[in-house]
Amino acid sequence: MHEIVTLQLGQRANYLATHFWNLQESYFTYNESEESPIDHDVHFRPGVGADGSETYTPRTVIYDLKGGFGTLRKYNALYEMSEGAASGQGLWDGQEIVRKQAPILPSEYQKSLELGTPAPRLTSETVRYWSDYNRVFYHPRSIVQLNEYELNSQIMPFEDWNAGEELFNDLDKEHDLLDRDVRPFAEECDQMRALQLFSGADDAWGGFAARYIDRLRDEYGKKSVWVWAIEDGARVQRHHQLKKDVNKAKSLFSISPQSSIYVPIVDIPSKLPSYIDVDRHSRWQTTALISSALETVTLPSRLRPYHDFEASLAGDDGRHTIYELQCSINPQDVDNKSSKDEEGRPKAQSEFDIDFTYGDCDDKDAHIFNQVQVTRGHERGKPTETQEDLGHVRKLRLYNSEAMLQSYHTPLRMPILDNFPHNLYPASQSSDGLSVFAALTSSIRTAQRIKSIEATTARMLSVDERENMMNGLGEIRENYETGWNSESDDDSD
């Protein structure tokens, strides 16, 4: 069935992943005569609830700090009978004093879901946690709270990359996290195709993710690993920004070589089109915008007609694994003549309304190595599929120094759910769902960005660490430079 197992690491990752799961839940059809274009078995697992009824829950593991889950319970309505199986008193026969924290009251939106009543409109003020707008039941094994750190703690903030690395090593030594948390989901798969990670990259979660991926590679070396590396786009004081820059450099250095695709995502880009109305201080709203692009660009991995999504990401030689995430909402000219070559084949695109990776870079003419395009909801005059040998086309593109390109299309529009920010997109454009043009692009801009990271972080590292990381980043950068030689300005000898 080519299943995908997902890991969610931290608050920002969980905000984004919650939008992702809500969208997957919306594609379910409950009429036997109507088949969804989405193969739900890719991301969801069948199971049995506490009362013996069949269940269908996401194949995911959710990590967050103490206090980060909000009102989400480990044992939900599907499994609540299991919660009553409390352990005995043990060897202690004295009097027990139980102290409990004040419970977090469920949001009005969650109350409406439980009662089956019309849902109230969510706002930035009413969304306190990512669980406040969650619509999905999770298996109890999916919920993993890390009690060593507390959310938003001023005493022990979970910000330093090395702290995340240390926390993973300590937990893995004590519990074997892969054996406890990942293996039960992986062993349920008929043929697991990929491991997908949502993680912060410029805080301690980057260190946690780096060591986690090391272990995943040791155990599942031949499986694809997709990493959505989320970076904070908010303006902060200079010393905080320098710490974030060092964390980003460490994540890029440690994670990208181990990943099949590594996608830095800025939450949220500094430049946005005028038709976007987003509250930059609300993670619920900013990650909703990101989910429009991310959920669209990964659609081919779960659409029934497509089976070669991973092959299209590999490019010509598999060296370019760092991708940029870009999209345009309700585009009007995706299928015009300017987006095709002289023989009518789609061309790689550099003009998008939103660039989630290098949004502050204006180099639209940068050389593109590989691009995966996905259009949804947009009516096409002709189907994108041709009778040409795709292998021959790719060899021809490589010979002509053209970008590798794979284009996918589906008429399935992106639904606007009742838990989505109602004013994010113009109401006139989103009433019946969105048309989205999204892409994953590997280009020479990555080399430019790595060079900037090297210059920024070199002076912040110790001598030994600096030499090792600069050499590693330099080797990564060389993969994204074209025409470099001993006389090049980019020569790093």
Side-chain angles (χ1 to χ4, degrees), residues 315-330:
D316 59 322
D317 56 10
R319 289 189 304 127
H320 305 119
T321 59
I322 301 175
Y323 280 84
E324 308 153 34
L325 177 65
Q326 303 145 326
C327 83
S328 296
I329 306 297
N330 285 334

Side-chain angles (χ1 to χ4, degrees), residues 436-479:
V436 184
F437 176 36
L440 287 173
T441 305
S442 177
S443 78
I444 198 173
R445 293 201 300 171
T446 295
Q448 299 166 2
R449 184 49 56 95
I450 294 177
K451 194 172 184 178
S452 175
I453 290 175
E454 290 176 292
T456 303
T457 60
R459 63 181 183 274
M460 303 294 295
L461 303 171
S462 63
V463 175
D464 294 339
E465 191 177 25
R466 182 192 308 142
E467 182 177 0
N468 185 36
M469 186 175 297
M470 293 304 106
N471 288 339
L473 290 175
E475 291 177 3
I476 298 172
R477 172 168 50 81
E478 288 175 0
N479 289 329

Side-chain angles (χ1 to χ4, degrees), residues 340-347 386 388 392-393 396 400:
K340 295 188 176 182
D341 61 19
E342 296 178 354
E343 299 183 10
R345 292 189 297 256
K347 292 176 59 179
T386 68
E388 294 182 276
H392 173 73
V393 172
L396 189 62
N400 293 329

